[in-house]
Amino acid sequence: KQSQPKIMITEPQLTEIRNYLLAKKLPIDILIEVNDHFVSQILDIQKEENLGFEDAFEKVKLKWGGDFILVRKNFFSSKKIPKIAYEIDLQQNKKLFLKSIYLVFIFTFFEIISARFLSESIYTSVMSITLFFFLLYPFKMLFMYVKQQKLLFKNRRKNVVVNNFLHPLLSFAIGFTIDQMSNFPKTRKHLIYDFMNFGEDANIKTEIFSLNLICGIIVLTFYVYAFLSINKNIKKLEKLNNFQLK
């Protein structure tokens, strides 16, 4: 039984595939992955249906057509991006926000446990260190934002999608605004410590403590999301910076 010759994709054909995907304004990181799927599916169709490259390519184009439809980047922007880039970014943002909530709950739990079981002096020292890092946070965010913008400029030809749903600086601003507008006594150094050890005997009502805690969780969630989002953008852009368009 004579074996069938192995079907290969030539360099000109690979270039044709990539140029087609570039024309669809795909972000380069998504393009790299989609390109691999295109090649694999074209080869499968050529083998299974005994078609030439062009016919197989057209079939794969039809299969992926719906993913390349241009949709609005977000509610506030008139810019349009491919649907596949929109959906991937949406899922990544959801995961990042859930991760932010998870980290804030862990920190809050640690703070409450520390207040209950550590001595007042040790607890105060731990919170003072935490406050020190918190005061550095705006400067760190500014430094990271400048770095992100420099990398975005370097990668400006690669259709990169970042900050699609909630800009890190907007997330920071939302957290800061909520923090400043709330009237809860969150500036009290020993609010959690006093309540956890003395309850309402420390003249802190349960309702006030609970509302303060909820407000703190909301504010911290926006702050943490802002940091994680911009940090993720930088890592993504640094990786793409090594990819050279021909």
Side-chain angles (χ1 to χ4, degrees), residues 62-80:
L62 287 172
K63 183 178 179 181
W64 284 80
D67 292 304
F68 300 151
I69 294 171
L70 294 178
V71 297
R72 285 180 62 177
K73 184 178 178 183
N74 56 49
F75 181 78
F76 303 101
S77 175
S78 59
K79 182 180 178 181
K80 293 188 175 183

Side-chain angles (χ1 to χ4, degrees), residues 6 12 29 39 41 51 65 70 76 82 102 105 125 171 194-195 230:
K6 188 175 181 181
D29 53 328
V39 171
Q41 290 174 16
L51 294 176
L70 294 178
F76 303 101
Y102 175 72
F105 270 101
S125 297
S171 181
D194 288 348
F195 184 82
I230 205 166

Side-chain angles (χ1 to χ4, degrees), residues 8 20 76 128:
M8 301 287 288
Y20 169 78
F76 303 101
S128 296

Side-chain angles (χ1 to χ4, degrees), residues 151-167:
L151 287 167
L152 272 173
F153 181 76
K154 288 181 180 179
N155 290 280
R156 61 191 179 278
R157 293 178 55 235
K158 299 175 184 176
N159 300 317
V160 183
V161 175
V162 296
N163 309 326
N164 195 26
F165 293 93
L166 184 58
H167 196 288

Side-chain angles (χ1 to χ4, degrees), residues 124-154:
T124 303
S125 297
V126 171
M127 289 302 107
S128 296
I129 294 170
T130 304
L131 179 61
F132 172 75
F133 283 107
F134 183 75
L135 291 174
L136 293 177
Y137 171 78
F139 301 100
K140 177 67 173 176
M141 282 294 296
L142 181 60
F143 172 78
M144 293 172 72
Y145 180 71
V146 171
K147 186 175 182 179
Q148 172 190 281
Q149 294 308 106
K150 287 181 179 178
L151 287 167
L152 272 173
F153 181 76
K154 288 181 180 179

Side-chain angles (χ1 to χ4, degrees), residues 4 18 24 35 45 48 50 59 68 85 92 111 124 138 141 147 149-150 153 156 161-162 194 201 212 236 243:
Q4 291 183 341
R18 196 181 73 164
K24 294 299 179 181
N35 184 81
I45 291 174
E48 293 169 7
N50 195 28
K59 282 202 165 191
F68 300 151
Q92 290 176 343
E111 192 175 7
T124 303
M141 282 294 296
K147 186 175 182 179
Q149 294 308 106
K150 287 181 179 178
F153 181 76
R156 61 191 179 278
V161 175
V162 296
D194 288 348
D201 291 338
N212 182 80
K236 177 180 182 178
F243 184 87

Side-chain angles (χ1 to χ4, degrees), residues 24 26 30 34 38 60-71 81-87:
K24 294 299 179 181
L26 288 179
I30 297 175
V34 173
F38 258 67
V60 175
K61 284 181 188 177
L62 287 172
K63 183 178 179 181
W64 284 80
D67 292 304
F68 300 151
I69 294 171
L70 294 178
V71 297
I81 60 175
K83 184 180 177 183
I84 187 172
Y86 175 90
E87 291 179 343

